Amino acid sequence: MSELMVVTGAAGFLGSHLCDALLARGYEVLALDDFSTGTPSNLAHLDQHPGFRLLRHDITEPLPPQADGASGIFNLACPASPLHYQRRPVQTVLASTIGLNNVLETARRANARVLQASTSEVYGDPLVHPQSERYFGNVNPLGPRACYDEGKRCAEALCLAYRRQYGLQVRIARIFNSYGPRLLPGDGRVVSNFISQAIAGQPLTVYGSGEQTRSFCFVEDTIDGLVRLMLSEVEQPLNIGATDEHTMLELAQIVLKLTGSNSPLVRQPLPVDDPRRRRPDIGNARRLLGWTPRVSLNEGLRRTIRHFRQTLRTPALES
Ligand code: UDP
């Protein structure tokens, strides 16, 4: 019998791609999701897969007994788009604390390893650039992003507490902005917004000056990093992200070019505490995992746009 991996948040954007990658590597997968921000349609193609099982489950409740057979648990269950986590701040904190505690307790019983999906948001609005794992961050603990940022920081602390106190095997991935097929059009994150708007011929909503930067990693690369980290012996938190940094204005121009859209740009207010610059130092992931992002932004966006056109069933615009 093959090894069982549990994926929480399996119906989400990253979770669903992770299920595909694990099944392709020959693992059995128990997928858990409460469908609060993910959608079963992301996993519909796995319905008939003999190694795959999906259960509706909210991780703030103890994990189902089937998870006790796991050799690894990938904990991805948490709203991840600023739009979603700020609409559900209580559930966001609880997923990262009570939810993670349930995951860690199951892992203790099962003698399983845990990979915690952490985030570049642990660095807040960073004063150090690029961000290496040694940087402690600049987080506003009281602002509207705190539910996510502090929730994920506490989650890292809880993982390390279980390692120190109980010797549990934990892996921590600080995931930077990722994008790709299966981002939902209503996700609220910038890549999803710009592509849906461009395809629909609506104005692209640029928040603030648009000079703020992010570094976007294609989902396939992100998932490869997560699987490598889980299978490695690396105990320190690792940044997983791409290193080519773009302003939101640049991103808007690239999306317009690749979609062939004539949409104008429209300014909207910059959200409170929106980080001004973000780019990971991935020297550790390169060295310790032999991992590096391979898909260029242009190629990744092309594939993502193709997916959005299929889901939105909108014919290609003339370029
Ligand atoms: N953003 C934007 N227009 C949008 C959505 C987001 O200009 O329609 C900006 C947002 O202010 C931020 C960046 O894009 O500076 C990335 O936002 P996102 O919500 O994708 O992720 P974040 O990195 O902030 O978690």
mmCIF file of all heavy atoms in Angstrom, residues 82 85 121 145 177 188-191 193-194 197 205-207 212 214 248 270-271 274-275 278, ligand 1:
data_model
loop_
_atom_site.group_PDB
_atom_site.id
_atom_site.type_symbol
_atom_site.label_atom_id
_atom_site.label_comp_id
_atom_site.label_asym_id
_atom_site.label_seq_id
_atom_site.Cartn_x
_atom_site.Cartn_y
_atom_site.Cartn_z
ATOM 1 N N PRO A 82 -6.156 38.600 0.706
ATOM 2 C CA PRO A 82 -6.501 39.676 1.652
ATOM 3 C C PRO A 82 -8.004 39.945 1.700
ATOM 4 O O PRO A 82 -8.573 40.178 2.768
ATOM 5 C CB PRO A 82 -5.720 40.880 1.126
ATOM 6 C CG PRO A 82 -4.529 40.279 0.438
ATOM 7 C CD PRO A 82 -5.025 38.996 -0.163
ATOM 8 N N TYR A 85 -9.454 36.950 3.859
ATOM 9 C CA TYR A 85 -9.126 36.867 5.291
ATOM 10 C C TYR A 85 -9.596 38.097 6.055
ATOM 11 O O TYR A 85 -9.846 38.011 7.250
ATOM 12 C CB TYR A 85 -7.654 36.488 5.539
ATOM 13 C CG TYR A 85 -6.534 37.423 5.126
ATOM 14 C CD1 TYR A 85 -6.348 38.659 5.720
ATOM 15 C CD2 TYR A 85 -5.600 37.008 4.180
ATOM 16 C CE1 TYR A 85 -5.279 39.477 5.368
ATOM 17 C CE2 TYR A 85 -4.533 37.824 3.805
ATOM 18 C CZ TYR A 85 -4.374 39.056 4.405
ATOM 19 O OH TYR A 85 -3.327 39.861 4.060
ATOM 20 N N GLU A 121 3.838 37.129 4.366
ATOM 21 C CA GLU A 121 3.219 38.128 5.247
ATOM 22 C C GLU A 121 3.821 38.101 6.654
ATOM 23 O O GLU A 121 3.587 39.023 7.428
ATOM 24 C CB GLU A 121 1.702 37.916 5.326
ATOM 25 C CG GLU A 121 0.962 38.321 4.066
ATOM 26 C CD GLU A 121 0.680 39.818 3.935
ATOM 27 O OE1 GLU A 121 0.583 40.513 4.964
ATOM 28 O OE2 GLU A 121 0.581 40.278 2.800
ATOM 29 N N ARG A 145 -4.677 43.388 8.515
ATOM 30 C CA ARG A 145 -3.987 42.191 8.011
ATOM 31 C C ARG A 145 -3.490 41.313 9.151
ATOM 32 O O ARG A 145 -2.977 40.219 8.923
ATOM 33 C CB ARG A 145 -2.784 42.585 7.136
ATOM 34 C CG ARG A 145 -3.159 43.306 5.862
ATOM 35 C CD ARG A 145 -1.933 43.766 5.102
ATOM 36 N NE ARG A 145 -1.499 42.822 4.109
ATOM 37 C CZ ARG A 145 -1.762 42.906 2.797
ATOM 38 N NH1 ARG A 145 -2.475 43.903 2.331
ATOM 39 N NH2 ARG A 145 -1.330 42.005 1.960
ATOM 40 N N ASN A 177 3.872 35.392 -3.122
ATOM 41 C CA ASN A 177 2.757 35.468 -4.089
ATOM 42 C C ASN A 177 2.870 34.385 -5.158
ATOM 43 O O ASN A 177 3.890 34.291 -5.839
ATOM 44 C CB ASN A 177 2.731 36.848 -4.755
ATOM 45 C CG ASN A 177 2.469 37.948 -3.755
ATOM 46 O OD1 ASN A 177 3.306 38.234 -2.900
ATOM 47 N ND2 ASN A 177 1.307 38.562 -3.838
ATOM 48 N N GLY A 188 -9.906 37.974 -5.635
ATOM 49 C CA GLY A 188 -9.564 39.279 -5.067
ATOM 50 C C GLY A 188 -8.084 39.597 -5.145
ATOM 51 O O GLY A 188 -7.691 40.742 -4.938
ATOM 52 N N ARG A 189 -7.236 38.602 -5.429
ATOM 53 C CA ARG A 189 -5.804 38.902 -5.545
ATOM 54 C C ARG A 189 -5.508 39.506 -6.910
ATOM 55 O O ARG A 189 -6.280 39.371 -7.858
ATOM 56 C CB ARG A 189 -4.972 37.650 -5.283
ATOM 57 C CG ARG A 189 -4.821 37.412 -3.781
ATOM 58 C CD ARG A 189 -4.096 36.142 -3.471
ATOM 59 N NE ARG A 189 -4.950 34.972 -3.651
ATOM 60 C CZ ARG A 189 -4.666 33.772 -3.194
ATOM 61 N NH1 ARG A 189 -3.536 33.567 -2.534
ATOM 62 N NH2 ARG A 189 -5.479 32.762 -3.378
ATOM 63 N N VAL A 190 -4.365 40.159 -6.982
ATOM 64 C CA VAL A 190 -4.133 41.040 -8.125
ATOM 65 C C VAL A 190 -4.105 40.310 -9.465
ATOM 66 O O VAL A 190 -4.677 40.788 -10.448
ATOM 67 C CB VAL A 190 -2.857 41.895 -7.900
ATOM 68 C CG1 VAL A 190 -1.591 41.050 -7.910
ATOM 69 C CG2 VAL A 190 -2.772 42.995 -8.922
ATOM 70 N N VAL A 191 -3.469 39.133 -9.528
ATOM 71 C CA VAL A 191 -3.361 38.447 -10.824
ATOM 72 C C VAL A 191 -4.754 38.047 -11.298
ATOM 73 O O VAL A 191 -5.134 38.257 -12.461
ATOM 74 C CB VAL A 191 -2.436 37.215 -10.713
ATOM 75 C CG1 VAL A 191 -2.484 36.402 -11.998
ATOM 76 C CG2 VAL A 191 -0.999 37.653 -10.420
ATOM 77 N N ASN A 193 -7.649 39.396 -10.373
ATOM 78 C CA ASN A 193 -8.425 40.596 -10.729
ATOM 79 C C ASN A 193 -8.041 41.128 -12.097
ATOM 80 O O ASN A 193 -8.899 41.352 -12.955
ATOM 81 C CB ASN A 193 -8.206 41.709 -9.694
ATOM 82 C CG ASN A 193 -9.060 41.509 -8.451
ATOM 83 O OD1 ASN A 193 -9.768 40.515 -8.326
ATOM 84 N ND2 ASN A 193 -8.981 42.447 -7.534
ATOM 85 N N PHE A 194 -6.736 41.330 -12.319
ATOM 86 C CA PHE A 194 -6.299 41.940 -13.584
ATOM 87 C C PHE A 194 -6.701 41.067 -14.773
ATOM 88 O O PHE A 194 -7.172 41.572 -15.787
ATOM 89 C CB PHE A 194 -4.767 42.148 -13.590
ATOM 90 C CG PHE A 194 -4.295 43.351 -12.796
ATOM 91 C CD1 PHE A 194 -5.182 44.166 -12.108
ATOM 92 C CD2 PHE A 194 -2.936 43.674 -12.742
ATOM 93 C CE1 PHE A 194 -4.736 45.272 -11.374
ATOM 94 C CE2 PHE A 194 -2.482 44.776 -12.023
ATOM 95 C CZ PHE A 194 -3.377 45.563 -11.335
ATOM 96 N N GLN A 197 -10.513 41.167 -15.296
ATOM 97 C CA GLN A 197 -10.921 42.491 -15.784
ATOM 98 C C GLN A 197 -10.502 42.686 -17.238
ATOM 99 O O GLN A 197 -11.287 43.155 -18.063
ATOM 100 C CB GLN A 197 -10.299 43.580 -14.889
ATOM 101 C CG GLN A 197 -10.892 43.596 -13.485
ATOM 102 C CD GLN A 197 -10.000 44.283 -12.444
ATOM 103 O OE1 GLN A 197 -8.822 44.554 -12.682
ATOM 104 N NE2 GLN A 197 -10.569 44.561 -11.273
ATOM 105 N N THR A 205 -8.123 47.474 -11.917
ATOM 106 C CA THR A 205 -8.122 48.242 -10.665
ATOM 107 C C THR A 205 -6.722 48.250 -10.053
ATOM 108 O O THR A 205 -6.263 47.244 -9.503
ATOM 109 C CB THR A 205 -9.105 47.602 -9.670
ATOM 110 O OG1 THR A 205 -8.817 46.193 -9.589
ATOM 111 C CG2 THR A 205 -10.552 47.800 -10.099
ATOM 112 N N VAL A 206 -6.049 49.380 -10.164
ATOM 113 C CA VAL A 206 -4.698 49.520 -9.581
ATOM 114 C C VAL A 206 -4.845 50.222 -8.237
ATOM 115 O O VAL A 206 -5.374 51.333 -8.176
ATOM 116 C CB VAL A 206 -3.788 50.341 -10.519
ATOM 117 C CG1 VAL A 206 -2.440 50.610 -9.855
ATOM 118 C CG2 VAL A 206 -3.603 49.606 -11.835
ATOM 119 N N TYR A 207 -4.418 49.566 -7.194
ATOM 120 C CA TYR A 207 -4.556 50.154 -5.861
ATOM 121 C C TYR A 207 -3.363 51.067 -5.571
ATOM 122 O O TYR A 207 -2.201 50.683 -5.800
ATOM 123 C CB TYR A 207 -4.618 49.065 -4.777
ATOM 124 C CG TYR A 207 -5.791 48.103 -4.904
ATOM 125 C CD1 TYR A 207 -5.814 46.909 -4.168
ATOM 126 C CD2 TYR A 207 -6.882 48.385 -5.739
ATOM 127 C CE1 TYR A 207 -6.883 46.027 -4.271
ATOM 128 C CE2 TYR A 207 -7.948 47.492 -5.844
ATOM 129 C CZ TYR A 207 -7.941 46.322 -5.119
ATOM 130 O OH TYR A 207 -8.990 45.439 -5.223
ATOM 131 N N GLN A 212 3.936 49.833 -5.852
ATOM 132 C CA GLN A 212 4.304 48.757 -4.917
ATOM 133 C C GLN A 212 4.684 47.506 -5.714
ATOM 134 O O GLN A 212 4.190 47.316 -6.821
ATOM 135 C CB GLN A 212 3.166 48.459 -3.914
ATOM 136 C CG GLN A 212 1.919 47.830 -4.471
ATOM 137 C CD GLN A 212 0.905 48.845 -4.997
ATOM 138 O OE1 GLN A 212 1.265 49.900 -5.489
ATOM 139 N NE2 GLN A 212 -0.375 48.504 -4.915
ATOM 140 N N ARG A 214 5.648 43.197 -6.109
ATOM 141 C CA ARG A 214 5.522 41.803 -5.674
ATOM 142 C C ARG A 214 6.360 40.956 -6.632
ATOM 143 O O ARG A 214 6.669 41.379 -7.745
ATOM 144 C CB ARG A 214 4.064 41.309 -5.730
ATOM 145 C CG ARG A 214 3.086 42.028 -4.817
ATOM 146 C CD ARG A 214 3.328 41.722 -3.338
ATOM 147 N NE ARG A 214 2.288 42.280 -2.483
ATOM 148 C CZ ARG A 214 2.319 43.517 -1.981
ATOM 149 N NH1 ARG A 214 3.302 44.333 -2.277
ATOM 150 N NH2 ARG A 214 1.338 43.936 -1.188
ATOM 151 N N MET A 248 2.959 46.902 -9.651
ATOM 152 C CA MET A 248 1.617 46.515 -10.098
ATOM 153 C C MET A 248 1.270 47.175 -11.434
ATOM 154 O O MET A 248 0.516 46.624 -12.227
ATOM 155 C CB MET A 248 0.576 46.856 -9.021
ATOM 156 C CG MET A 248 0.742 46.055 -7.729
ATOM 157 S SD MET A 248 0.926 44.276 -8.012
ATOM 158 C CE MET A 248 2.683 44.036 -7.829
ATOM 159 N N LEU A 270 -5.177 52.590 -1.822
ATOM 160 C CA LEU A 270 -4.262 51.530 -1.380
ATOM 161 C C LEU A 270 -4.802 50.948 -0.070
ATOM 162 O O LEU A 270 -5.102 51.695 0.864
ATOM 163 C CB LEU A 270 -2.877 52.140 -1.134
ATOM 164 C CG LEU A 270 -1.756 51.150 -0.835
ATOM 165 C CD1 LEU A 270 -1.425 50.320 -2.070
ATOM 166 C CD2 LEU A 270 -0.509 51.886 -0.343
ATOM 167 N N PRO A 271 -4.949 49.624 0.017
ATOM 168 C CA PRO A 271 -5.430 49.040 1.273
ATOM 169 C C PRO A 271 -4.482 49.366 2.439
ATOM 170 O O PRO A 271 -3.278 49.536 2.231
ATOM 171 C CB PRO A 271 -5.423 47.530 0.985
ATOM 172 C CG PRO A 271 -5.450 47.412 -0.506
ATOM 173 C CD PRO A 271 -4.745 48.613 -1.035
ATOM 174 N N ASP A 274 -0.769 47.757 3.203
ATOM 175 C CA ASP A 274 -0.347 47.025 2.005
ATOM 176 C C ASP A 274 1.188 47.104 1.901
ATOM 177 O O ASP A 274 1.753 48.194 1.849
ATOM 178 C CB ASP A 274 -0.981 47.697 0.779
ATOM 179 C CG ASP A 274 -0.967 46.825 -0.451
ATOM 180 O OD1 ASP A 274 0.060 46.805 -1.154
ATOM 181 O OD2 ASP A 274 -1.980 46.168 -0.702
ATOM 182 N N PRO A 275 1.884 45.968 1.899
ATOM 183 C CA PRO A 275 3.352 46.018 1.836
ATOM 184 C C PRO A 275 3.840 46.743 0.573
ATOM 185 O O PRO A 275 3.282 46.550 -0.509
ATOM 186 C CB PRO A 275 3.752 44.540 1.808
ATOM 187 C CG PRO A 275 2.616 43.832 2.460
ATOM 188 C CD PRO A 275 1.395 44.601 2.057
ATOM 189 N N ARG A 278 8.178 43.593 -1.989
ATOM 190 C CA ARG A 278 8.302 42.211 -1.526
ATOM 191 C C ARG A 278 9.071 41.388 -2.549
ATOM 192 O O ARG A 278 8.694 41.318 -3.727
ATOM 193 C CB ARG A 278 6.918 41.603 -1.306
ATOM 194 C CG ARG A 278 6.995 40.192 -0.774
ATOM 195 C CD ARG A 278 5.631 39.575 -0.633
ATOM 196 N NE ARG A 278 4.860 40.149 0.448
ATOM 197 C CZ ARG A 278 3.535 40.103 0.503
ATOM 198 N NH1 ARG A 278 2.858 39.543 -0.472
ATOM 199 N NH2 ARG A 278 2.898 40.609 1.529
HETATM 200 N N1 UDP B 1 -3.709 45.050 -6.019
HETATM 201 C C1 UDP B 1 -4.079 45.924 -7.047
HETATM 202 N N2 UDP B 1 -5.274 45.702 -7.658
HETATM 203 C C2 UDP B 1 -6.101 44.687 -7.349
HETATM 204 C C3 UDP B 1 -5.705 43.785 -6.315
HETATM 205 C C4 UDP B 1 -4.510 44.018 -5.671
HETATM 206 O O1 UDP B 1 -3.362 46.881 -7.370
HETATM 207 O O2 UDP B 1 -7.170 44.565 -7.984
HETATM 208 C C5 UDP B 1 -2.399 45.255 -5.369
HETATM 209 C C6 UDP B 1 -2.425 45.212 -3.848
HETATM 210 O O3 UDP B 1 -2.677 46.500 -3.324
HETATM 211 C C7 UDP B 1 -1.017 44.725 -3.548
HETATM 212 C C8 UDP B 1 -0.668 43.826 -4.727
HETATM 213 O O4 UDP B 1 -1.593 44.176 -5.749
HETATM 214 O O5 UDP B 1 -0.113 45.795 -3.512
HETATM 215 C C9 UDP B 1 -0.811 42.350 -4.418
HETATM 216 O O6 UDP B 1 -2.062 42.154 -3.824
HETATM 217 P P1 UDP B 1 -2.689 40.718 -3.558
HETATM 218 O O7 UDP B 1 -4.019 40.943 -2.928
HETATM 219 O O8 UDP B 1 -2.640 39.907 -4.789
HETATM 220 O O9 UDP B 1 -1.693 39.996 -2.546
HETATM 221 P P2 UDP B 1 -0.808 40.488 -1.302
HETATM 222 O O10 UDP B 1 0.589 40.376 -1.790
HETATM 223 O O11 UDP B 1 -1.144 41.913 -0.954
HETATM 224 O O12 UDP B 1 -1.162 39.540 -0.226
#
